[in-house]
Amino acid sequence: MRAAKMAPAGGLARGPWVPLALLALLARAALALTERYPALSLLQQERHRQRHSPAGEWAEQYSAECDSSFLHFHESDCDIGGSSSCESMLSLNTEKILSQAKLLAEQKRFPFATDNDNTNEELAIAYVLIGNGLYDEAIRHFSTMLQEEPELVSAIYGRGIAYGKKGLHDMKNAELALFELSRVISLEPDHPEVFEQRAEILSPLGRISEALSDLTKAIQLQPSARLYRHRGTLYFISEDYATAHEDFQRSLELNKNQPIAMLYKGLTFFHRGLLKEAIESFKEALKQKSDFIDAYKSLGQAYRELGNFDAATESFQKALLLNQNHVQTLQLKGMMLYHHGSLDEALKNFKRCLQLEPYNEVCQYMKGLSHVAMGQFYEGIKAQTKVMLNDPLPGQKASPEYLKVKYLREYSRYLHAHLDTPLTEYNTDIDLPGNFKDHWAKNLPFLIENYEEQPGLQPHIKDVLFQNFESYKPDVQELICVADHLGSMMQYETPGFLPNKRIHRAMGLATLEVMQAVQRTWANSKVRMNGKTRLMQWRDMFDIAVKWRRIADPDQPVLWLDQMPARSLSRGFNNHINLIRGQVINMRYLEYFEKILHFIKDRILVYHGANNPKGLLEVREALEKVHKVEDLLPIMKFNSKTRDGFTVNTKVPSLKDQGKEYDGFTITITGDKVGNILFSVETQTTEERTQLYHAEIDALYKDLTAKGKILILSAELGEVDAVCNLILSLVYYFYNLMPLSRGSSVIAYSVIMGALMASGKEVSGKIPKGKLVDFEAMTAPGSEAFSKIARSWMNLKSISPSYKSLPSVSETFPTLRTMIEVLNTDSSHCLKKTIVVV
């Protein structure tokens, strides 16, 4: 730090215009400056550090710019690279502070300059003090001036700025800043920069609607690219993405070379589920600024949501080439790698993230999760404990990781204790306490009365060690490669579903184990389940897939809902999916919007036919104009009972009792005054509904087992066809019941594939692009229709004889340890050799 330059004897060097009182103030300021502050840019660095820190999104917007609405001394030409115009204009030397103030005064480069040279000279000194971070000194100086001239607008404005820059974390500063700026507006109501400044004080305080009103007034007075961008940012924070998009577009029309505005335009697309449009905007931002890290990061996340792993990886890598310490990119890339099943690579990113930010809860949680998923329980629980120690402050909202980590720790302890226990001898759904399961599945805070913790890690139970693929026998290697192929057949080609090679292998092995178990059952062999030897039931068949799905990703509670506490079931356990929330569209289900819309329109006509026959014609005419879900909002106004929204229930026809119907899923549509919509579907799992579906599935399974036994003896075409339809019908009711807290879709599909293979048929066709098997079942009018749809893409063919020579999955991997080992092992060379059964 430089020492202040000494002045000649007799006092500080000064021009004739500097009052002695101000000299004393400046001497004090210069001393404070040399003791407390490093060299600062005139305004920009301090502006970023203090003024915007309370509002993360707002602050991020400015990280690449040097323009300032705090002090409009001049239009800044500074560039992100740090050109000379962005360098500090002030020295820590008192003479230079005075010199700079004189220059500002002569050129009137500060807000609300007057016609009086002496007044301008005094105002300039205070503004220079603000520029050097000496806010208290600036406030005192402005206050002295206001004692002599109470309505001196520039002094009022400057004092408001100084209060704001002192820090909005102190409400007193915020209130004083707003008071002063409001005084300026009352005296000078036609200056847009004052409204903009007040908006920038209001927004970090959470007073968004007032800030928006101020920015709108500023735009009315003098529209500019900056003002539209600022207002767009606030709309973005408020999740009004459509209006934010309009503002960013207007901003770009006024000044097209704005990478920040282009980035945010892309983010408005991203958050509405319009991923392809978002990608185009992010690419355009990169054309304007080729080293724009946030644009590469956002591009990577958009590709990840599309399910394009390679493109996402490339974008994240480019961001890290620009800054290898970019924590957000490391975090996002690590999470993508975890959900791609590349746990080793994911861990490297989380560890690097924590080197840079030791208290990053997301990276700490994901590090612990990755270790546990790979069977490294000691390291995993150590990381989990660190997250648990980050108690939120009073009044602070707990992070999602903090809410989840106690459940993960307890489940990790349970898994560790059972690493070497035969899987046939225990049942997770029975072992875990009911309230624990209920709270975990509902993602509730860990507030469970009289909860008894799982035993701590036991030293005699060692962590899972890595197994080389080559260490497995050739027939087991073949089993793994076949499983990888089968699992890949279950991948959805739909935005939002990233290929996960770990899930592929787990569910491929589940498919083979189901095939082998069903074949044994049809040959009258018994199975060992939950410590008992007995004939296999339909739930046992699904439990095979459940155990593999659970261990593939221990973060997700895959639990049977009918095993929840009776109190939870009596209230109804909801599986809820938002299709549209406000302006956010769930792209995963976009393919089904039109089908659901047609169903809703039919039900509306039925309702009005029964309850509003006189208005039926008007409703029918209005429905003809409905082409998307949002168009239904005006229809709701036709009846007082549906004014605020309505629900529609689907029906599932029974095969067991002809003419009988069960409740399917519930479609809910609500709207608010400004046109935001909530469009959702949910299944409600009650005890009564569960029993009805179980009876249907029991009857189908009994039929399936009988026909399967006949099929073993006589493989006639008609019998194979009947067995295939029974399998698909059984799973149709499973999908509509939705009996699991997570993972129902892939679990049921692995059962379909495994049971079909037991019947001698193999699925060789992939699930069509945009199709989701569970939604195909839930939106089909009946089991026969679902079977027809599913068979249209399955392309069933006769099973290869080589499947018979594969080793028993349950005997090869009899414990959690062996299951985790096989999921961890690398089998990349499977891609280089031909799988004999394909």
Side-chain angles (χ1 to χ4, degrees):
M1 184 176 291
R2 278 190 304 176
K5 185 177 179 182
M6 295 299 291
L12 293 167
R14 57 186 172 93
W17 56 276
V18 183
L20 288 174
L22 293 184
L23 286 176
L25 176 65
L26 283 170
R28 197 164 63 245
L31 179 61
L33 196 60
T34 56
E35 290 175 349
R36 292 158 48 200
Y37 289 91
L40 299 173
S41 297
L42 175 60
L43 294 170
Q44 286 79 12
Q45 292 178 7
E46 190 65 18
R47 176 172 182 257
H48 297 327
R49 185 176 67 82
Q50 287 201 357
R51 182 164 127 248
H52 290 293
S53 57
E57 293 283 1
W58 187 280
E60 186 177 338
Q61 170 176 327
Y62 289 98
S63 62
E65 300 186 58
C66 293
D67 66 348
S68 172
S69 63
F70 251 111
L71 296 177
H72 292 281
F73 291 158
H74 59 91
E75 287 299 320
S76 174
D77 300 319
C78 61
D79 202 33
I80 298 162
S83 65
S84 58
S85 60
C86 275
E87 293 175 2
S88 175
M89 296 168 63
L90 296 176
S91 165
L92 300 186
N93 181 283
T94 303
E95 286 185 26
K96 289 192 176 181
I97 289 176
L98 293 171
S99 173
Q100 180 63 29
K102 184 174 182 179
L103 183 63
L104 290 178
E106 288 174 351
Q107 298 181 1
K108 295 188 176 181
R109 288 183 2 197
F110 57 87
F112 301 103
T114 71
D115 294 330
N116 185 302
D117 289 343
N118 288 334
T119 301
N120 287 342
E121 291 162 359
E122 294 190 31
L123 288 167
I125 290 174
Y127 278 111
V128 169
L129 291 172
I130 292 177
N132 281 278
L134 298 167
Y135 310 126
D136 287 325
E137 288 81 353
I139 289 167
R140 281 194 289 270
H141 187 55
F142 283 129
S143 298
T144 300
M145 297 184 72
L146 287 166
Q147 285 175 1
E148 297 178 9
E149 194 174 343
E151 293 190 351
L152 182 59
V153 175
S154 186
I156 299 170
Y157 183 71
R159 191 162 66 175
I161 291 170
Y163 279 127
K165 288 179 72 67
K166 277 186 71 176
L168 302 184
H169 53 277
D170 186 336
M171 280 303 298
K172 185 178 178 182
N173 290 335
E175 289 167 2
L176 288 168
L178 291 173
F179 175 77
E180 301 289 24
L181 292 170
S182 298
R183 284 182 66 198
V184 174
I185 288 171
S186 68
L187 294 167
E188 296 283 349
D190 296 328
H191 287 261
E193 67 270 21
V194 189
F195 286 98
E196 183 182 12
Q197 180 55 60
R198 191 168 68 175
E200 293 187 13
I201 299 291
L202 288 165
S203 58
L205 301 176
R207 296 163 66 174
I208 303 297
S209 60
E210 295 172 75
L212 284 169
S213 178
D214 274 358
L215 287 170
T216 299
K217 180 64 177 176
I219 288 169
Q220 290 168 353
L221 290 168
Q222 188 178 340
S224 70
R226 186 186 67 249
L227 284 171
Y228 277 120
R229 189 183 68 239
H230 289 187
R231 191 174 70 174
T233 306
L234 283 189
Y235 279 125
F236 182 88
I237 294 168
S238 306
E239 297 186 5
D240 187 350
Y241 301 118
T243 308
H245 173 267
E246 291 174 9
D247 272 358
F248 291 129
Q249 186 60 38
R250 288 193 189 106
S251 180
L252 288 162
E253 287 167 3
L254 292 170
N255 178 6
K256 64 181 181 180
N257 188 28
Q258 294 185 86
I260 281 282
M262 187 59 73
L263 171 68
Y264 268 86
K265 178 184 171 182
L267 290 172
T268 65
F269 284 129
F270 180 88
H271 284 278
R272 286 181 288 165
L274 305 173
L275 298 176
K276 292 179 180 177
E277 293 85 347
I279 286 169
E280 289 307 310
S281 294
F282 297 146
K283 286 181 176 178
E284 186 60 36
L286 286 164
K287 285 181 185 176
Q288 295 183 13
K289 178 172 167 50
S290 60
D291 60 349
F292 197 176
I293 294 175
D294 282 338
Y296 276 122
K297 177 200 71 181
S298 299
L299 184 61
Q301 192 66 356
Y303 277 127
R304 181 236 187 277
E305 287 299 315
L306 269 181
N308 190 335
F309 175 77
D310 291 337
T313 301
E314 182 183 352
S315 296
F316 286 140
Q317 201 55 41
K318 284 179 177 177
L320 291 171
L321 283 173
L322 290 167
N323 180 3
Q324 63 180 348
N325 297 331
H326 197 256
V327 171
Q328 255 193 325
T329 302
L330 288 165
Q331 179 180 308
L332 290 172
K333 185 184 176 189
M335 293 179 74
M336 180 188 72
L337 287 164
Y338 177 87
H339 292 292
H340 181 251
S342 305
L343 272 55
D344 266 333
E345 290 300 310
L347 258 178
K348 292 175 186 175
N349 284 269
F350 298 136
K351 287 178 179 178
R352 178 63 182 152
C353 167
L354 290 167
Q355 285 176 351
L356 299 166
E357 275 188 14
Y359 297 102
N360 185 306
E361 281 194 15
V362 175
C363 289
Q364 195 69 258
Y365 179 88
M366 292 303 299
K367 179 190 172 192
L369 174 61
S370 301
H371 277 302
V372 165
M374 291 193 294
Q376 299 163 2
F377 291 92
Y378 289 90
E379 283 297 320
I381 289 179
K382 188 191 297 183
Q384 293 163 19
T385 304
K386 289 180 180 178
V387 178
M388 290 173 63
L389 294 174
N390 289 337
D391 291 315
L393 298 171
Q396 184 183 9
K397 187 178 178 181
S399 68
E401 290 71 33
Y402 183 81
L403 289 174
K404 292 192 300 180
V405 71
K406 292 184 181 179
Y407 296 104
L408 179 60
R409 187 188 69 167
E410 289 302 289
Y411 187 47
S412 300
R413 287 172 165 178
Y414 174 83
L415 292 175
H416 182 262
H418 290 81
L419 266 180
D420 299 308
T421 306
L423 291 156
T424 56
E425 303 305 309
Y426 64 94
N427 184 313
T428 301
D429 283 281
I430 294 173
D431 292 346
L432 293 176
N435 285 335
F436 173 87
K437 293 187 298 178
D438 183 54
H439 281 60
W440 187 20
K442 293 176 180 174
N443 199 28
L444 298 174
F446 198 99
L447 301 171
I448 305 172
E449 289 184 12
N450 304 317
Y451 177 75
E452 188 175 333
E453 289 189 353
Q454 294 288 330
L457 299 188
Q458 300 162 48
H460 69 280
I461 303 176
K462 304 301 181 186
D463 274 350
V464 176
L465 299 176
F466 181 76
Q467 294 290 314
N468 285 318
F469 183 75
E470 291 75 14
S471 68
Y472 288 107
K473 294 178 181 178
D475 59 345
V476 177
Q477 291 182 20
E478 189 65 33
L479 180 72
I480 296 168
C481 291
V482 170
D484 285 354
H485 165 70
L486 291 173
S488 70
M489 301 294 288
M490 304 177 206
Q491 178 64 42
Y492 285 153
E493 298 292 331
T494 302
F497 291 94
L498 186 73
N500 187 323
K501 59 186 183 181
R502 193 176 181 87
I503 297 288
H504 288 174
R505 179 171 299 169
M507 303 322 293
L509 288 166
T511 297
L512 292 169
E513 189 172 346
V514 168
M515 175 194 76
Q516 294 167 347
V518 171
Q519 285 175 335
R520 289 197 302 272
T521 299
W522 290 348
N524 287 318
S525 294
K526 294 183 178 181
V527 295
R528 181 77 177 170
M529 301 290 286
N530 305 329
K532 296 178 181 178
T533 303
R534 52 178 170 74
L535 291 172
M536 187 170 75
Q537 300 302 311
W538 69 263
R539 189 192 287 261
D540 301 327
M541 184 169 61
F542 284 92
D543 258 334
I544 291 169
V546 166
K547 75 173 181 183
W548 282 104
R549 178 62 184 81
R550 274 179 183 155
I551 202 60
D553 184 3
D555 191 40
Q556 297 186 357
V558 182
L559 302 163
W560 289 96
L561 297 182
D562 67 339
Q563 300 294 310
M564 294 291 182
R567 200 171 97 182
S568 177
L569 278 178
S570 65
R571 294 175 179 172
F573 194 104
N574 296 350
N575 268 313
H576 185 94
I577 301 169
N578 283 331
L579 303 180
I580 301 176
R581 184 181 65 84
Q583 298 171 12
V584 182
I585 299 171
N586 192 331
M587 294 298 290
R588 290 185 171 192
Y589 305 96
L590 196 58
E591 178 88 9
Y592 297 92
F593 281 19
E594 188 174 347
K595 185 187 278 192
I596 295 173
L597 182 60
H598 282 304
F599 175 78
I600 293 170
K601 289 163 74 172
D602 288 341
R603 299 311 300 171
I604 288 174
L605 286 173
V606 171
Y607 174 83
H608 280 275
N611 298 281
N612 180 29
K614 292 181 180 179
L616 184 60
L617 181 60
E618 185 185 4
V619 172
R620 190 185 299 275
E621 289 174 352
L623 284 173
E624 288 174 0
K625 300 173 183 176
V626 171
H627 302 294
K628 56 184 185 296
V629 176
E630 295 90 323
D631 296 339
L632 286 170
L633 289 178
I635 309 291
M636 292 158 54
K637 312 301 179 187
F638 281 104
N639 189 292
S640 60
K641 292 182 179 178
T642 64
R643 185 170 293 126
D644 298 321
F646 58 86
T647 60
V648 179
N649 293 311
T650 63
K651 294 297 179 182
V652 176
S654 170
L655 282 177
K656 185 171 69 73
D657 299 315
Q658 292 297 319
K660 190 174 181 181
E661 291 182 325
Y662 308 131
D663 286 335
F665 63 91
T666 300
I667 304 163
T668 302
I669 297 179
T670 59
D672 60 21
K673 293 178 182 178
V674 296
N676 285 321
I677 192 169
L678 175 63
F679 174 38
S680 63
V681 298
E682 67 180 22
T683 56
Q684 192 171 52
T685 304
T686 61
E687 190 172 0
E688 180 185 2
R689 182 175 180 272
T690 299
Q691 287 175 355
L692 290 170
Y693 274 88
H694 279 192
E696 196 77 30
I697 296 172
D698 283 339
L700 285 165
Y701 183 75
K702 184 178 179 181
D703 229 3
L704 174 63
T705 303
K707 283 191 166 51
K709 289 179 178 180
I710 296 170
L711 187 64
I712 292 287
L713 302 173
S714 172
E716 291 186 13
L717 186 62
E719 293 295 340
V720 173
D721 204 48
V723 166
C724 176
N725 286 333
L726 282 169
I727 292 166
L728 291 169
S729 294
L730 188 152
V731 173
Y732 165 78
Y733 288 101
F734 181 92
Y735 275 132
N736 277 282
L737 173 59
M738 280 289 163
L740 296 166
S741 58
R742 299 281 195 286
S744 292
S745 184
V746 72
I747 284 167
Y749 202 64
S750 65
V751 168
I752 289 176
M753 290 179 64
L756 284 173
M757 288 165 69
S759 74
K761 292 292 180 182
E762 180 185 357
V763 174
S764 64
K766 289 199 169 187
I767 300 166
K769 192 173 184 178
K771 298 288 185 184
L772 308 176
V773 186
D774 51 352
F775 257 63
E776 287 297 324
M778 292 164 68
T779 57
S783 59
E784 188 177 334
F786 170 66
S787 297
K788 186 177 179 181
I789 293 166
R791 292 181 71 158
S792 70
W793 77 65
M794 285 181 170
N795 191 23
L796 296 177
K797 66 177 186 180
S798 296
I799 194 171
S800 168
S802 57
Y803 278 112
K804 293 180 181 178
S805 63
L806 292 173
S808 164
V809 176
S810 60
E811 291 175 8
T812 306
F813 310 112
T815 62
L816 280 177
R817 182 184 297 279
T818 53
M819 288 175 71
I820 294 171
E821 284 173 350
V822 73
L823 294 181
N824 287 348
T825 194
D826 176 36
S827 59
S828 55
H829 69 283
C830 280
L831 302 172
K832 300 173 186 175
K833 69 182 208 174
T834 303
I835 301 173
V836 297
V837 295
V838 178

